[in-house]
Amino acid sequence: MTDKTVLIVYAHQSPKSFNCAAKDAAVKTLTDQGCKVLVSDLYAMKFRAVATADDVKGKLKNPEHFLYNEETGLACKEGRLSDDIKEEHRKVEQADLIIFQFPLYWFSVPAIMKGWIDRVMTQGFAYSLQNLYDNGMFKNKKAMLSFTTGGMESMYLPDGLNGDINVALWPLQNGVLRFCGFQVLAPQIFWSPAHTPADARVALLEAWKTRLQGLLNEKPLSFAPTELFELNFQAGFRLRADVKEEFASKPYGLTTAHHLGKPLPPNNQTKAE
């Protein structure tokens, strides 16, 4: 862990929150191991969540029909992005690992963190049409989600009231992190700390500190390699026929989303194989 850089993108309004305690535990534990730790405290920074033309300095390519990805992609290439985005880019470039620390809001991240994703994961910086998934810009970096829930763990089981947490995590872990090439580590989920006794909350934080000590050596989650797909417009970027045939006799699908009409592979988004 020595000489590694970790960026924590943190979103909670209160310094008394469990999320803040989890963030602080990560900062101390990682720093004690010799890591350089950077923190983007989004609420404290008053980070602007809305993606607009204000993110571009200078003239727009097409002011009559503003296309955010196209304009910011060009601005990124020409060094014309807003200063706050440039600063976050510098942090991401340094990071070997990014930890997103947040409370789960509506089965997703808080709006301010979604704004960070929308604005900082700029086209040309975080991805391009040629650099996605296995060939993504950040394939040599790791990332993970660390979050609290309002409901208890049983509510997020396949037969629980809220449904399988693996399904909820797919858009963030595959659609954001792996899309940009990150090696995605298993999430750190703190189940319902607001309704947990104080001694149990302490135990949760101690378990987190223990995990942090070997975090960068963990095996990442399993996703479908891009080589399993027909990567062209004619074939529609779909799984190869031989892959479908191979999985025809297997009890589970390939991933949470590539389920092939079968039961979902258990814990595909929460545990490394």
Side-chain angles (χ1 to χ4, degrees):
M1 298 286 279
T2 304
D3 298 328
K4 298 293 185 180
T5 299
V6 180
L7 168 61
I8 301 175
V9 182
Y10 166 67
H12 199 287
Q13 305 92 331
S14 174
K16 299 293 186 181
S17 68
F18 188 90
N19 272 276
C20 187
K23 180 261 296 178
D24 289 345
V27 171
K28 185 177 188 309
T29 304
L30 293 168
T31 300
D32 287 349
Q33 293 180 76
C35 291
K36 177 182 178 182
V37 181
L38 309 172
V39 178
S40 288
D41 185 340
L42 301 183
Y43 286 105
M45 294 160 58
K46 294 182 168 51
F47 187 83
R48 185 164 57 84
V50 183
T52 70
D54 291 338
D55 292 343
V56 177
K57 294 180 180 179
K59 293 182 179 179
L60 297 176
K61 178 181 178 181
N62 186 355
E64 300 301 320
H65 179 39
F66 178 69
L67 298 174
Y68 186 83
N69 283 355
E70 184 175 320
E71 295 284 1
T72 52
L74 181 60
C76 181
K77 183 178 179 180
E78 297 177 351
R80 296 188 293 108
L81 287 171
S82 61
D83 292 340
D84 60 341
I85 294 178
K86 285 182 179 180
E87 177 58 25
E88 296 307 297
H89 280 187
R90 283 190 283 270
K91 296 176 187 176
V92 172
E93 286 172 340
Q94 293 180 62
D96 298 289
L97 166 68
I98 301 178
I99 300 173
F100 293 86
Q101 182 66 57
F102 61 96
L104 194 69
Y105 280 5
W106 297 110
F107 289 76
S108 187
V109 296
I112 199 167
M113 183 172 281
K114 179 57 165 60
W116 188 95
I117 293 169
D118 288 348
R119 299 179 64 224
V120 176
M121 295 296 161
T122 314
Q123 180 173 303
F125 172 74
Y127 70 95
S128 71
L129 294 179
Q130 295 76 33
N131 299 104
L132 306 172
Y133 296 113
D134 288 349
N135 194 40
M137 301 283 204
F138 300 142
K139 62 184 179 182
N140 294 321
K141 299 179 183 290
K142 297 181 179 181
M144 67 173 294
L145 308 178
S146 176
F147 61 92
T148 59
T149 67
M152 56 188 180
E153 183 175 7
S154 61
M155 296 173 71
Y156 295 90
L157 293 175
D159 64 348
L161 179 65
N162 291 336
D164 191 343
I165 189 66
N166 291 274
V167 175
L169 293 176
W170 178 264
L172 292 170
Q173 295 190 153
N174 182 78
V176 177
L177 300 181
R178 185 170 178 270
F179 183 86
C180 295
F182 285 108
Q183 301 168 50
V184 185
L185 301 182
Q188 180 71 25
I189 307 175
F190 300 102
W191 302 106
S192 192
H195 304 288
T196 301
D199 58 340
R201 291 198 299 272
V202 170
L204 289 174
L205 288 175
E206 289 303 316
W208 175 222
K209 292 175 187 176
T210 298
R211 184 184 177 191
L212 284 160
Q213 292 173 11
L215 194 60
L216 278 167
N217 295 321
E218 287 186 3
K219 183 179 179 181
L221 296 172
S222 176
F223 294 89
T226 52
E227 65 186 22
L228 300 185
F229 297 82
E230 298 284 2
L231 300 177
N232 60 74
F233 287 99
Q234 290 75 20
F237 297 86
R238 300 181 68 181
L239 277 172
R240 300 197 322 258
D242 61 304
V243 177
K244 293 180 184 179
E245 184 177 349
E246 177 188 350
F247 274 81
S249 60
K250 295 189 177 183
Y252 300 110
L254 184 59
T255 71
T256 297
H258 307 107
H259 51 74
L260 304 176
K262 296 173 176 289
L264 306 186
N267 301 316
N268 175 250
Q269 292 298 292
T270 51
K271 294 181 180 179
E273 290 184 353

